[in-house]
Amino acid sequence: EGHPHIVDLIKSKEIQFIINIPTDVVTRDDAFEIRMAALQYNVPYMTTTTAAIEGLKGLREMQNQEISIYPVESKDVTV
C-alpha cells in the first residue's frame, strides 16, 4: 500500500534478499507481484523459513570462498 512499497524498493535495488511467507489470500496476491519483481530484478526470493535459512547459509559459505567462472564448451551437434 502506498509508495514506496516493496516492489518500488526492489526496482530501485534497495532490496537484495526477500523472505516472504504468505499467510492468507491477501498476502498471497501481494506475493505474486513481489515474486515477479524479484525474478525480473534477480533478487533471491524465499517462501519458507527453511529455504531462507539454507539460502543464507549458502551465501555465508560463498563469502568464504573464491569463486571461479569457467566457460561452457559447446560441441557441434548435427541433427
Side-chain angles (χ1 to χ4, degrees):
E1 295 180 23
H3 287 279
H5 54 70
I6 181 108
V7 174
D8 296 326
L9 297 174
I10 293 168
K11 290 178 180 180
S12 66
K13 301 185 187 317
E14 293 182 53
I15 303 284
Q16 289 96 28
F17 191 88
I18 299 169
I19 302 169
N20 189 24
I21 303 168
T23 56
D24 58 32
V25 173
V26 173
T27 58
R28 272 190 288 252
D29 291 345
D30 292 341
F32 178 78
E33 187 177 352
I34 295 167
R35 191 168 49 253
M36 291 299 105
L39 287 168
Q40 183 177 1
Y41 291 92
N42 290 324
V43 176
Y45 182 92
M46 307 292 172
T47 58
T48 66
T49 53
T50 302
I53 290 166
E54 294 305 315
L56 291 170
K57 284 181 185 177
L59 289 171
R60 185 181 323 133
E61 187 65 30
M62 287 176 61
Q63 288 179 335
N64 298 327
Q65 297 180 10
E66 184 176 319
I67 297 174
S68 299
I69 300 173
Y70 301 96
V72 176
E73 294 183 31
S74 62
K75 306 264 184 198
D76 290 331
V77 177
T78 306
V79 179

